[in-house]
């Protein structure tokens, strides 16, 4: 598993918040092209990797997203610090104390720390009672600046992207903990699969488009550029863990329903049967506060059977974690699915 874990680490360390994903998309594109696959960049900036199969009339699409949570500069404050606006669905307490990078329009990168304005307990009594929200959270820039004008002279402006330090660690016990495992773990699995298909000269039964989307975290990733030949559409995304969930960090999680509604019953049953036939450890689950690129495609009018499965990710949209066993199980199901016929 060392190769795929290193690919995950490489991907998590490439800044790619929704709206600023070119570097990550190009990394995946170059990887696929070096293997000899045909790639296309859509007008929205997503990447489609086509793998020709025996049947070109009935096709599949498998999507994973390379965009992540992030933020933008909302305001340059009078003291030179930055107010922030969140990108994606997460809370301010999930990023308090985190190191970050601010990327200017010219490409200059500055480092900083996301802080509560009233952080110092020696000055602000009972600061634990202060809400962690846009009124109180800010970025302390690692530059000598004490005014809004001095910060602007650095080239920082409203609308500049803010990226969080992923802090990726692979433990001896087999855990990988990092920001942005949602969904860069899935992107790495697709790259690993493409490498396996090429190395073993495996031809898929159906032409398959691997759609690396770049706007999933803001709700409209893989909802366009979908060929009418595509009959099945799989979102390869994280399994949500927590109280009341059956999913864990050691199996592949198959989604039966999320906030958008039930996933296709027949495709879900097919995924479950593949797990049973191939002895792949799996869990069926419902994700109550979750939508995917597959549900976005349906809402956009795609006439598809849609499904969702992925590795179980602990503490989603915060400091995430999964185990190599979950990655293995997800890879096994991805491989088995790609080699199975469309029913």
């Amino acid at each position: 598993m060392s190769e795929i874990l290193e690919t995950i680490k490489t991907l998590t360390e490439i800044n790619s918040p929704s709206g600023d994903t070119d570097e990550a998309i190009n990394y995946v594109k170059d990887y696929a092209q070096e293997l000899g696959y045909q790639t296309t960049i859509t007008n929205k900036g997503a990447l489609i990797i086509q793998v020709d199969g025996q049947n070109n009339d009935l096709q599949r699409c498998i999507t994973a997203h390379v965009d992540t949570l992030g933020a933008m500069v909302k305001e340059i404050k009078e003291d030179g610090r930055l107010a922030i606006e969140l990108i994606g669905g997460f809370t301010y307490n999930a990023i308090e104390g985190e190191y970050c990078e601010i990327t200017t329009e010219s490409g200059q990168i500055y480092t900083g720390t996301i802080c509560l304005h009233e952080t110092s307990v020696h000055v602000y009594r009972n600061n634990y009672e202060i809400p962690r929200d846009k009124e109180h959270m800010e970025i302390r820039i690692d530059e000598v600046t004490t005014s809004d004008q001095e910060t602007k002279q650095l080239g920082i402006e409203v609308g500049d992207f803010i990226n969080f330090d992923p802090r990726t660690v692979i433990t001896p016990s087999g855990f990988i903990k990092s920001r942005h495992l949602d969904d860069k773990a899935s992107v790495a699995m697709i790259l690993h699969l493409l490498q396996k298909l090429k190395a073993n000269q495996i031809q898929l039964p159906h032409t398959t488009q691997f759609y690396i989307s770049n706007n999933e975290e803001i709700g409209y990733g893989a909802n366009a550029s979908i060929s009418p030949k595509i009959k099945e559409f799989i979102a390869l995304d994280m399994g949500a863990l927590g109280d009341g969930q059956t999913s864990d960090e050691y199996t592949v999680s198959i989604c039966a329903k999320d906030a958008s509604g039930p996933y296709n019953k027949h495709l879900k049953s097919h995924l479950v049967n593949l797990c049973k036939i191939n002895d792949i450890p799996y869990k069926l689950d419902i994700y109550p506060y979750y939508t995917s690129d597959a549900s976005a495609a349906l809402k956009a009018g795609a006439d598809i059977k849609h499904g969702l499965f992925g590795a179980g990710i602990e503490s989603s949209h915060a400091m995430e974690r999964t185990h190599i066993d979950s990655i293995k199980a997800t890879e096994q199901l991805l491989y088995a699915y790609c080699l199975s016929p469309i029913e």
Side-chain angles (χ1 to χ4, degrees):
M1 293 295 292
S2 60
E3 184 176 345
I4 190 169
L5 293 179
E6 284 304 314
T7 303
I8 294 173
K9 187 173 188 295
T10 298
L11 283 167
T12 59
E13 292 172 349
I14 299 174
N15 293 333
S16 58
S18 300
D20 190 23
T21 58
D22 288 352
E23 184 179 354
I25 286 289
N26 286 331
Y27 173 85
V28 179
K29 181 192 71 174
D30 292 345
Y31 193 110
Q33 287 182 345
E34 287 178 8
L35 291 172
Y37 292 106
Q38 175 186 338
T39 64
T40 303
I41 301 289
T42 71
N43 287 330
K44 285 166 55 178
L47 173 68
I48 296 176
I49 306 164
Q50 180 159 316
V51 179
D52 293 331
Q54 297 171 7
N55 188 331
N56 193 50
D57 293 325
L58 297 178
Q59 298 186 7
R60 287 186 166 118
C61 181
I62 299 173
T63 180
H65 66 93
V66 79
D67 64 307
T68 70
L69 306 173
M72 273 184 168
V73 176
K74 172 63 173 65
E75 175 191 352
I76 301 175
K77 298 186 174 183
E78 290 184 359
D79 62 0
R81 295 192 177 193
L82 306 176
I84 61 179
E85 183 75 17
L86 303 184
I87 299 173
F90 65 108
T91 56
Y92 282 93
N93 67 289
I95 57 173
E96 183 176 3
E98 284 300 315
Y99 295 160
C100 65
E101 293 182 342
I102 305 101
T103 303
T104 70
E105 186 67 26
S106 67
Q108 178 71 38
I109 294 177
Y110 295 99
T111 62
T113 305
I114 300 170
C115 306
L116 180 71
H117 177 78
E118 303 89 349
T119 289
S120 178
V121 297
H122 297 95
V123 176
Y124 303 100
R125 188 175 182 181
N126 297 334
N127 69 346
Y128 58 86
E129 297 177 348
I130 297 171
R132 273 57 178 170
D133 57 24
K134 65 167 58 179
E135 303 302 322
H136 297 91
M137 299 295 288
E138 63 187 15
I139 292 179
R140 180 185 67 201
I141 310 169
D142 299 327
E143 298 293 330
V144 180
T145 174
T146 57
S147 70
D148 54 351
Q149 288 302 316
E150 288 178 340
T151 295
K152 288 179 180 178
Q153 287 172 5
L154 296 172
I156 296 174
E157 295 287 352
V158 171
D160 286 343
F161 284 94
I162 298 163
N163 305 282
F164 312 139
D165 184 348
R167 293 201 286 155
T168 308
V169 173
I170 301 168
T171 73
S173 55
F175 288 101
I176 178 165
K177 53 184 183 178
S178 175
R179 291 193 181 276
H180 314 320
L181 294 180
D182 170 24
D183 189 32
K184 290 184 173 180
S186 297
V187 175
M189 285 185 240
I190 286 176
L191 294 180
H192 197 236
L193 172 69
L194 293 175
Q195 188 179 59
K196 181 176 182 178
L197 296 177
K198 186 64 67 171
N200 294 282
Q201 298 182 330
I202 298 170
Q203 186 176 24
L204 299 180
H206 298 276
T207 294
T208 302
Q209 292 185 2
F210 292 91
Y211 193 137
I212 310 301
S213 73
N214 61 330
N215 288 293
E216 194 274 348
E217 293 293 359
I218 51 178
Y220 56 91
N223 65 354
S225 304
I226 301 170
S227 168
K229 292 183 177 182
I230 290 172
K231 305 305 176 186
E232 294 182 351
F233 191 105
I234 291 287
L236 188 66
D237 210 332
M238 66 163 203
L241 278 57
D243 293 341
Q245 301 298 103
T246 66
S247 299
D248 56 37
E249 296 174 84
Y250 314 106
T251 59
V252 58
S253 179
I254 300 173
C255 183
K257 176 188 178 296
D258 66 11
S260 68
Y263 281 74
N264 184 270
K265 175 184 177 181
H266 303 290
L267 188 50
K268 180 204 71 177
S269 297
H270 179 53
L271 295 172
V272 170
N273 287 334
L274 286 173
C275 287
K276 292 178 178 179
I277 292 169
N278 293 281
D279 294 322
I280 301 169
Y282 75 96
K283 296 289 176 65
L284 275 169
D285 220 336
I286 290 174
Y287 311 152
Y289 310 111
Y290 187 120
T291 59
S292 74
D293 273 338
S295 51
L298 274 186
K299 290 177 180 178
D303 184 15
I304 51 173
K305 294 179 180 178
H306 73 314
L308 166 61
F309 66 89
I313 303 294
E314 168 63 27
S315 299
S316 61
H317 285 196
M319 286 309 304
E320 298 166 344
R321 192 185 77 166
T322 192
H323 193 270
I324 58 172
D325 287 348
S326 188
I327 294 173
K328 285 179 182 177
T330 305
E331 276 200 300
Q332 289 172 333
L333 179 54
L334 177 62
Y335 181 73
Y337 171 69
C338 286
L339 267 65
S340 68
I342 292 177
E343 298 181 350

